[in-house]
Amino acid sequence: MQLTFGLEADGRVYPDARDAAGSLDHDIVGPLGLLQTLEAQLGLLAPTVPKAVRIATYLAKLRACQGSRFWVSSFSKDPWSTAEAILEWRDTLVGGGWRNTAIGSPRLDDLAAVESVDPMLPAGLEDRAIALLDVLGTRPGLRIRQLGLADRRDLLPPLWARIVEALESAGVTILQHEQPELAPEGSDLRIVQRVLSGETVQPLAGDGTFTTVEADTELMAAEAVADWLAALPSGDLHGTVILASNSDTALLDHALRARGIPALGLSASSPWRGALQVLPLAFAAAWQPFDPRALLNLFLLPRPPVGAWAARRLARALSEEPGVGGRVWREAWVQIEDRLLEINTRSDADTARRKTDTTLAEWRAWTEVGRFARGEGMPLSEAMAICGRVAAWAMRSDGGEGDRLLMAVSSAAAAVSDALSRLELSVIPALLLERVVLQVLSEGVPNPDHFAEAGAIRAVKTPGALWSSAQRVIWWNFVGPGERITLLPWDNAERETLMANGVEIDASPAIARRIEAAHSGVVRRCRGNLILVRPALARDAQTTLHPMAHRLRPLLKESGSAITFKAERLLREPDAVLAGRILPRQLDERQAQPPAGIPVWTIPPGTTCLTDTRRESATSLTRMLNCQLSWFSQDILNLRPGRFAEIPGTDQLFGNLAHEIARRLLLPGAPPAEANIRAEAIRYFESLLPEIAAPLLQPEHAGELAAAREMVPRALEALVRLLHAQGLEIVGSELDREGIQGQLLLQGRLDLLVRHGDRIAVLDLKWTRSERRYREEVASGRAIQLAIYRGLSASDGTGAPGGYFLLRQRRIVAGPGSILTGSPIDADIDDLATLGLVTNDWRHWHDLTRKGTLIAAGFPDTGDLRPAGLAIDAAKEPCRFCNLRGLCRVYEELV
């Protein structure tokens, strides 16, 4: 068996084993690949343990190691980070030859003491390598006959250098990989290769063999690279390598596919893939105070842990009443149960009931939220149960298909469960639990839908993965900061002690030389064209120079214009030349104009019937009078912004609480006694808070919640006092009513309907920060909501002017003639007259809609387009709060 070993060959490499010269029994391996091959041949197979499991175990060992150790102070503040850092130091020492024993240095001896206490630390890469070194020359079964080195032997880290020496002592032939084929003499690329070898800087001619592509954005850089590759004959694409230092070619692949070139398929690993978020969200929802946003995000995932249709219903319930246990939440579960029974109707009644109950139990388990106080932590058994539920969901959802993302979820849940069990704690602190989950998910998963397509172009992630010559290399995202060198924690005395005991530490200068060799190796292994691509912006961040760019600075400074191509030239030059290839572009003669605003819209005649039997509410009529197009779009066609469900703001939540408390307190009949009304309001406030307004329990709303705990009960107390003072009887609260005014059909929900003798009035409860708006509405006769409520309440008697009760201010706002207050606001017209104006304007707008015409308010000339005979003036800022401005384009976009 023949192997080629490279320090960065544990992934995609070029050339791969299929393209490399040699026998069929040949492979290219990195450190992990070489380790696994040797273990398999020597019978030392060992599983790869997740990093989080090893950190958790080491944390338990540090805790068990008593005494005044050097890590005590940091461990008391952040045990996980402390264990993670010290474990990394320990692994580095093991790789250097440390045998886990005391060597006469305080900190190193503290680490030796950790090794002697339970629990036993699972073996890491370095432990496995050392175990191999101990038996490599004494155990038969080694099939490797030849080991080629893709990197210089003198630059290998001490651990791998010792393994190579041990293999050589065991009879394996060690071959240094042959020198790569260099670029032709006299070419710019050959001059660059000579400069990297230490020769004198010479000016470059700009012959296309060495080029830097600069672009303002990654998108324009991708266009330039794709155009250049498309300009090559298809047969010449063989031997082309894309070095994607950011491990992601998604943007470049879009440009390549548009030109008929197969995708490269490199995808950066991300912990934010949809299904991966099930695990952290399941834990986040379990904490007190319960955060509905965690549960909402769980239901809005592409693959929620409950049925997609059920997740949508529950998400809407959370959006309406953010909490669990409230009326809307219970109604959602009743609907889900009915739907499940309907789905299972193909079975007999008992089987259908049993299947439904099983499914409901599984789904309800995901909504057992807010059970554990963050300050007290979560019992280990409960944390393990959450992990088990997530793993079971992932496996059940996968159904044996081998979905990469779902398998990663299952593995992550198992890793978290294993790590938590190794902490040796019966109760896991909240912060520690979150650190474990974050650590497990930190490696992420590549995009499972982004994969390589069969083609001639190859892509690699790291410079060292290009271990042999290539015809042409495109260094995609040639930007900094490059690889970082880990600073060693040992002082000079400790290093001397380590060296005296045979422990060889990989020093920073050696690491820097190894990184530089990998960077310059990319240049040396290219024999045709080398293109360095540097966008000025990567997403929204400004990029920095790559370390290799600093080394090439004398060349770039001397010959910059000859070897630099600005990608934006493609937008203005029809035949730009990049690296010896003409990139043809055809000028589009059409003038790019922003989409024009449309003040007048024509709708198909068939759509006008949608308005014939429609009942309008105060909200929809207000919208119609403000902007006919907005009314038709939102209330007739049900167009909404892209947000499917979201948590309401604090003011709306406080208003919802006050409304629900009022509904429960203000029952039909005489108002409740003033004596204990405040205590009752406080009781309802506290019980309803987690059911319909749980976000208010979050720490960031502590100040507002404390104020509301005082204001809401006082507001309801003031409301009851008002009812008594005015001698009002409660007819009902939260009443759904329908009414008719001429041809206008009305509907609405009345917050509070009250009576004084044979006169009635509607009291609308508002939670607002300012009363000016409502006072101005009443004074100007623009209180459309009160006018509509008067029309809805007329069936209970003659009707009477309504009013607003401002909960925060504990003040009534009503017009003349109201039975609600003895201090009315002077108004130009009363509610009945306003209702007549609304009815008049509704008729004009309705008739215009039936003719198939819609007017968008907000344009300068819209006033001339409004129907004649309107009684209510146009709003001054009709588009201020509209969510559909992108539809009518009332505001012109800049290009």
Side-chain angles (χ1 to χ4, degrees):
M1 182 179 189
Q2 179 183 348
L3 295 180
T4 298
F5 172 68
L7 292 174
E8 297 178 357
D10 273 326
R12 291 198 197 181
V13 295
Y14 182 85
D16 58 21
R18 182 186 61 185
D19 298 327
S23 65
L24 293 176
D25 195 12
H26 178 229
D27 199 5
I28 296 125
V29 295
L32 181 59
L34 178 60
L35 193 66
Q36 291 174 336
T37 301
L38 293 174
E39 286 177 335
Q41 294 187 9
L42 298 179
L44 296 174
L45 289 176
T48 300
V49 181
K51 185 177 180 181
V53 174
R54 299 188 71 239
I55 296 174
T57 307
Y58 205 70
L59 187 152
K61 291 174 73 69
L62 291 177
R63 188 191 301 112
C65 191
Q66 302 296 326
S68 67
R69 310 295 183 179
F70 71 88
W71 60 77
V72 169
S73 178
S74 59
F75 188 85
S76 63
K77 296 177 177 62
D78 189 352
W80 185 265
S81 294
T82 303
E84 182 180 12
I86 298 179
L87 177 60
E88 184 177 351
W89 300 354
R90 177 260 180 204
D91 288 344
T92 303
L93 290 175
V94 170
W98 181 58
R99 292 294 181 171
N100 306 332
T101 57
I103 55 177
S105 180
R107 290 202 300 170
L108 293 167
D109 291 351
D110 282 350
L111 291 184
V114 178
E115 297 296 318
S116 62
V117 300
D118 290 331
M120 181 175 162
L121 180 67
L125 186 71
E126 291 82 0
D127 298 289
R128 293 162 62 186
I130 294 298
L132 276 173
L133 278 174
D134 291 339
V135 300
L136 204 52
T138 61
R139 185 171 294 194
L142 194 62
R143 290 183 50 246
I144 303 173
R145 296 293 172 260
Q146 185 173 292
L147 180 69
L149 299 180
D151 305 287
R152 284 169 43 189
R153 187 167 181 175
D154 60 312
L155 292 180
L156 292 176
L159 174 60
W160 301 104
R162 296 206 308 276
I163 288 180
V164 170
E165 292 173 3
L167 288 172
E168 190 172 33
S169 299
V172 177
T173 302
I174 306 298
L175 298 177
Q176 180 67 51
H177 185 65
E178 68 274 5
Q179 289 296 321
E181 180 183 348
L182 299 176
E185 284 291 345
S187 65
D188 285 353
L189 182 55
R190 184 57 180 272
I191 294 174
V192 175
Q193 290 170 342
R194 290 184 179 279
V195 169
L196 290 178
S197 298
E199 297 186 18
T200 307
V201 174
Q202 300 178 32
L204 303 179
D207 61 5
T209 57
F210 179 79
T211 309
T212 62
V213 173
E214 295 183 352
D216 291 341
T217 63
E218 285 183 297
L219 179 62
M220 202 61 227
E223 289 288 307
V225 171
D227 272 356
W228 187 79
L229 290 171
L232 291 172
S234 57
D236 289 353
L237 289 175
H238 289 279
T240 302
V241 180
I242 307 291
L243 169 56
S245 297
N246 63 346
S247 302
D248 195 347
T249 60
L251 191 60
L252 181 57
D253 281 345
H254 282 295
L256 293 176
R257 280 175 171 158
R259 292 157 179 81
I261 301 175
L264 304 171
L266 280 183
S267 173
S269 293
S270 170
W272 305 111
R273 307 289 178 203
L276 282 179
Q277 293 307 298
V278 171
L279 186 61
L281 289 174
F283 279 110
W287 294 115
Q288 295 176 359
F290 165 57
D291 186 356
R293 290 170 296 190
L295 196 56
L296 181 63
N297 289 336
L298 193 65
F299 291 144
L300 293 181
L301 289 174
R303 282 187 276 202
V306 302
W309 58 270
R312 287 192 295 270
R313 292 192 182 185
L314 293 173
R316 291 193 190 100
L318 282 172
S319 180
E320 187 174 347
E321 288 186 354
V324 294
R327 174 183 54 83
V328 176
W329 181 258
R330 294 193 302 272
E331 289 175 356
W333 277 110
V334 170
Q335 294 170 1
I336 291 171
E337 182 176 0
D338 292 343
R339 173 77 181 276
L340 284 173
L341 284 171
E342 182 182 341
I343 292 173
N344 294 324
T345 51
R346 287 175 293 182
S347 306
D348 60 81
D350 291 340
T351 303
R353 182 75 258 176
R354 187 170 59 256
K355 288 181 177 179
T356 298
D357 290 343
T358 300
T359 304
L360 283 175
E362 291 176 355
W363 289 357
R364 283 186 180 276
W366 293 96
T367 63
E368 293 176 357
V369 296
R371 295 185 296 147
F372 310 107
R374 290 187 61 89
E376 299 175 4
M378 184 182 298
L380 175 62
S381 59
E382 296 291 344
M384 302 278 275
I386 291 176
C387 292
R389 183 162 62 246
V390 172
W393 164 79
M395 296 301 293
R396 186 169 55 250
S397 300
D398 178 65
E401 295 295 326
D403 184 285
R404 185 176 183 181
L405 189 55
L406 290 173
M407 291 298 96
V409 175
S410 179
S411 298
V416 171
S417 179
D418 192 3
L420 294 178
S421 66
R422 292 174 182 264
L423 291 172
E424 298 187 348
L425 295 171
S426 58
V427 177
I428 313 297
L431 180 59
L432 182 56
L433 178 55
E434 289 167 354
R435 295 298 299 274
V436 173
V437 175
L438 182 63
Q439 181 69 56
V440 168
L441 297 181
S442 62
E443 295 182 3
V445 176
N447 182 358
D449 296 326
H450 185 203
F451 49 84
E453 298 172 340
I457 306 174
R458 303 297 177 84
V460 297
K461 295 182 179 181
T462 58
L466 177 63
W467 64 275
S468 190
S469 295
Q471 179 60 33
R472 59 191 63 83
V473 176
I474 299 174
W475 197 326
W476 175 250
N477 257 342
F478 182 69
V479 297
E483 297 86 341
R484 299 183 183 274
I485 299 176
T486 303
L487 297 177
L488 298 177
W490 315 116
D491 59 29
N492 291 335
E494 289 168 329
R495 293 182 189 181
E496 291 177 0
T497 303
L498 288 169
M499 292 178 62
N501 285 270
V503 181
E504 187 177 359
I505 300 297
D506 199 13
S508 296
I511 299 174
R513 287 194 299 271
R514 193 157 52 246
I515 293 173
E516 191 280 331
H519 291 167
S520 59
V522 175
V523 180
R524 294 190 178 95
R525 288 166 180 155
C526 182
R527 59 178 184 269
N529 300 94
L530 176 62
I531 300 177
L532 309 177
V533 184
R534 185 204 168 196
L537 288 175
R539 296 178 176 85
D540 60 347
Q542 188 171 358
T543 63
T544 58
L545 287 176
H546 191 276
M548 179 60 68
H550 290 285
R551 183 155 185 213
L552 296 175
R553 186 175 181 82
L555 274 172
L556 301 177
K557 183 178 181 181
E558 187 72 22
S559 312
S561 59
I563 61 172
T564 302
F565 180 86
K566 185 66 175 175
E568 280 68 26
R569 288 173 53 189
L570 297 175
L571 302 177
R572 57 181 182 272
E573 297 181 20
D575 296 308
V577 178
L578 169 60
R581 297 284 175 178
I582 298 176
L583 310 183
R585 287 245 170 173
Q586 185 176 359
L587 182 64
D588 189 350
E589 297 295 340
R590 293 176 298 175
Q591 295 295 320
Q593 296 292 337
I598 306 176
V600 181
W601 293 66
T602 302
I603 56 177
T607 59
T608 59
C609 64
L610 298 174
T611 65
D612 290 344
T613 59
R614 172 181 168 76
R615 289 189 177 273
E616 302 290 349
S617 66
T619 301
S620 67
L621 284 170
T622 301
R623 194 149 33 217
M624 172 190 273
L625 301 179
N626 188 63
C627 176
Q628 183 197 11
L629 176 64
S630 177
W631 162 76
F632 190 84
S633 300
Q634 298 190 61
D635 295 289
I636 305 300
L637 300 182
N638 290 319
L639 291 184
R640 291 292 183 268
R643 300 182 298 273
F644 171 76
E646 62 181 356
I647 300 298
T650 55
D651 282 347
Q652 184 176 342
L653 292 175
F654 287 132
N656 293 347
L657 271 173
H659 276 76
E660 183 61 21
I661 295 172
R663 186 184 71 83
R664 300 192 181 199
L665 285 175
L666 306 178
L667 302 177
E674 296 183 51
N676 63 342
I677 193 66
R678 187 178 176 194
E680 284 293 297
I682 292 174
R683 182 173 65 84
Y684 279 126
F685 186 98
E686 297 301 330
S687 64
L688 289 171
L689 192 58
E691 293 183 0
I692 67 173
L696 300 176
L697 294 169
Q698 296 302 306
E700 61 265 29
H701 300 308
E704 295 169 284
L705 179 58
R709 278 194 165 108
E710 180 70 18
M711 287 190 293
V712 171
R714 284 188 178 277
L716 292 167
E717 186 180 32
L719 177 57
V720 171
R721 188 179 302 117
L722 165 73
L723 296 176
H724 282 285
Q726 297 298 118
L728 300 174
E729 178 188 355
I730 299 171
V731 177
S733 60
E734 298 293 327
L735 300 174
D736 290 319
R737 289 294 173 90
E738 295 181 352
I740 184 170
Q741 291 291 317
Q743 295 180 331
L744 173 58
L745 305 178
L746 298 174
Q747 67 176 1
R749 173 171 288 186
L750 312 182
D751 285 353
L752 189 63
L753 188 64
V754 296
R755 184 195 308 272
H756 183 78
D758 60 351
R759 301 177 63 191
I760 63 170
V762 176
L763 194 57
D764 194 51
L765 309 183
K766 297 292 184 185
W767 184 275
T768 180
R769 295 180 183 273
S770 173
E771 65 177 289
R772 185 178 67 177
R773 168 192 166 188
Y774 297 100
R775 296 182 69 88
E776 290 177 351
E777 280 186 3
V778 172
S780 63
R782 293 271 308 195
I784 296 174
Q785 188 171 17
L786 295 182
I788 300 303
Y789 286 169
R790 181 163 187 174
L792 291 172
S793 64
S795 60
D796 290 82
T798 59
Y804 297 116
F805 184 76
L806 308 182
L807 293 159
R808 288 176 67 102
Q809 294 79 11
R810 303 197 289 277
R811 189 171 297 134
I812 189 76
V813 176
S818 173
I819 63 174
L820 300 173
T821 178
S823 303
I825 295 175
D826 292 334
D828 298 337
I829 56 176
D830 62 11
D831 294 344
L832 194 59
T834 300
L835 181 60
L837 299 180
V838 170
T839 305
N840 171 77
D841 285 15
W842 168 83
R843 184 176 65 254
H844 286 296
W845 286 116
H846 183 265
D847 291 345
L848 186 64
T849 304
R850 286 192 57 82
K851 294 176 183 178
T853 301
L854 301 176
I855 305 299
F859 289 91
D861 55 350
T862 296
D864 300 332
L865 302 174
R866 289 163 57 87
L870 295 177
I872 298 178
D873 295 334
K876 294 181 180 179
E877 297 180 278
C879 306
R880 183 177 180 185
F881 300 109
C882 181
N883 293 316
L884 301 179
R885 289 176 292 186
L887 182 64
C888 65
R889 305 271 181 188
V890 65
Y891 298 139
E892 183 174 322
E893 297 179 2
L894 299 178
V895 295

